[in-house]
Amino acid sequence: MTTGGTGQPSAGQSGRADRGGVRTALAGLTTRGRSFLAAGIAAAVCAYVLGQPDLLRVGLLLAALPLICAAVVYRTRYRVAGSRRLAPARVPAGSEARVHLRMDNVSRLPTGLLMLQDRVPYVLGPRPRFVLDQVEAGGRREVSYRVRSDLRGRYPLGPLQLRLSDPFGMCELTRSFSTHDTLTVIPSVEPLPPVRLSGEAKGYGDGRQRSLALAGEDDVIPRGYRYGDDLRRVHWRSTARYGELMVRREEQPRRSRCTVLLDTRGLAYRGAGPDSAFEWAVSGAASVLVHMLERGFSVRLLTDTGTSVPGEGADGYAGGGQESTDAAGLMMDTLAIVDHSDGAGLSRSYDVLRGGHEGLLVAFLGDLDEEQAAIAAKMRQRSAGAVAFLLDGDSWMREPNGAPDPMNRQEERLRMLREAGWTALSVPRGASLKELWRLAERDRAGVTASGGGEGRA
């Protein structure tokens, strides 16, 4: 049997059966086939010893049947093309994705009974198996199955396997396609309400700051008059020089910036699993990133190691339109595989942040000692506004009877951040980011960043 593959925009599976010998055919004998072969050999031996020719004929028949079936199955030549399509290829944790499989018989002969099997990781569910009836020449069969994972990550699907069997069930041969696809399980995203937080500007809302255009036709100083231009922008000196109406270059809104800092230090979190503090922080960072992109901010994702999303510009990814969708996808792919770091501090991320004016800074922080709290407090100096979600390690402990912290370190860390200008909120186990987001707005009510207005986020 020969297997082929047809490509699809989202996924493609292709493979070709390897030529084998007699050993390959015999290796495909099922338990029934091996039992028949053993019984036939035993009967033939007994017939020879006892001198019973009728028993010898029975033994030869029993032994020949599985061998003939193996030869027929091995000599069968089918050209079957297979493809896989994921809907969707990127799915939030806890949601289902459907995998569509399509098999096409591209040979001139109908196939026999086929068993189709797809390899999937254990975390996505049981391995799907399908029995396909005879596929006519040029025909096709389509099947589908669902996968679901509560754990984010990137999971390989495939390769597809086809099992060809004879009508008696004596022999089964497996042929595999060569390629596989990847299902990306991203963090769950919680929709956030628009609030007013202190920031560099206001995205594209009212009262936004404006800056001179730096590229495009409007960068010409001055440019020709266009229908609808305000006459108050006419540049009379250039008009006299060129002999036609000239206007000053236009101003364009300066895009607000937001940096989302995710603390991934392994020692800063307790517990593991979908309900752990670290997973809450990752999901919270994803929610803020998507929300800020939708509000028109230039968004950057930063971790405690000082790394960001590959391909990200100096100001992060810009929001708005298709560009915002692509940027959100890249950031979600990064958060899908982010894991604990071996770092012990936030100094690397601080070195990155102090390199320039960062606009709005939103941080998701684990447990902080006094030294790391001091470093986090200094991050506020380079930001027009800063909001910190500090996860309370004691409340996230899995032990229900865990003793409370007698030193009340959580409140002490919050006080240090607030004195430095942060809007710092404690995150207990089971907290809703949406409610904390609103609470951050109430805490920042009436606060205006120096040199900029309140940014609506």
Side-chain angles (χ1 to χ4, degrees), residues 98-175:
R98 183 168 289 275
V99 183
H100 299 268
L101 304 177
R102 172 177 164 178
M103 304 302 300
D104 294 272
N105 182 12
V106 296
S107 64
R108 297 182 179 180
L109 297 175
T111 69
L113 189 67
L114 301 176
M115 188 175 78
L116 179 64
Q117 176 177 277
D118 204 6
R119 291 185 178 182
V120 299
Y122 175 77
V123 70
L124 296 182
R127 180 172 296 183
R129 293 182 175 91
F130 305 93
V131 177
L132 304 181
D133 294 333
Q134 184 184 62
V135 183
E136 64 279 6
R140 72 176 58 167
R141 296 290 186 271
E142 294 184 2
V143 294
S144 64
Y145 64 93
R146 294 178 296 178
V147 291
R148 180 181 182 273
S149 175
D150 293 327
L151 299 175
R152 55 187 176 80
R154 302 189 68 187
Y155 301 101
L157 300 178
L160 281 171
Q161 291 183 330
L162 281 177
R163 285 188 181 181
L164 180 62
S165 174
D166 66 279
F168 301 102
M170 297 289 181
C171 181
E172 288 185 353
L173 292 182
T174 301
R175 293 294 182 262

Side-chain angles (χ1 to χ4, degrees), residues 166-336:
D166 66 279
F168 301 102
M170 297 289 181
C171 181
E172 288 185 353
L173 292 182
T174 301
R175 293 294 182 262
S176 297
F177 292 79
S178 60
T179 59
H180 63 275
D181 294 308
T182 301
L183 175 68
T184 303
V185 180
I186 62 176
S188 58
V189 175
E190 183 177 358
L192 301 178
V195 300
R196 291 192 177 276
L197 299 174
S198 178
E200 177 182 307
K202 299 181 181 174
Y204 290 110
D206 295 335
R208 57 184 178 266
Q209 292 184 358
R210 305 185 69 86
S211 62
L212 294 178
L214 298 179
E217 189 178 0
D218 291 331
D219 195 30
V220 179
I221 307 177
R223 64 169 177 82
Y225 174 82
R226 297 173 183 171
Y227 178 78
D229 283 339
D230 192 346
L231 292 177
R232 291 175 296 181
R233 294 177 49 231
V234 173
H235 194 268
W236 297 109
R237 181 179 301 177
S238 299
T239 298
R241 178 180 178 182
Y242 293 103
E244 60 177 329
L245 281 178
M246 307 294 292
V247 295
R248 293 186 296 272
R249 61 176 175 172
E250 295 178 351
E251 295 179 340
Q252 293 182 345
R254 186 175 64 188
R255 191 184 298 272
S256 303
R257 290 188 291 176
C258 175
T259 298
V260 177
L261 172 62
L262 176 62
D263 182 7
T264 64
R265 295 173 299 137
L267 53 82
Y269 299 93
R270 311 178 192 181
D275 298 328
S276 64
F278 181 66
E279 293 302 321
W280 191 97
V282 174
S283 178
S287 301
V288 173
L289 286 170
V290 172
H291 177 74
M292 288 300 184
L293 284 172
E294 292 175 349
R295 303 299 297 176
F297 280 68
S298 290
V299 181
R300 179 174 63 170
L301 173 63
L302 184 66
T303 67
D304 59 288
T305 60
T307 59
S308 56
V309 180
E312 190 177 80
D315 293 334
Y317 288 105
Q322 183 62 35
E323 186 179 3
S324 175
T325 303
D326 296 340
L330 290 173
M331 292 185 176
M332 293 302 104
D333 289 345
T334 300
L335 290 176

Side-chain angles (χ1 to χ4, degrees), residues 373-390:
I375 294 177
K378 292 190 293 183
M379 295 180 183
R380 173 65 179 85
Q381 301 172 2
R382 303 301 303 177
S383 303
V387 180
F389 297 97
L390 187 60

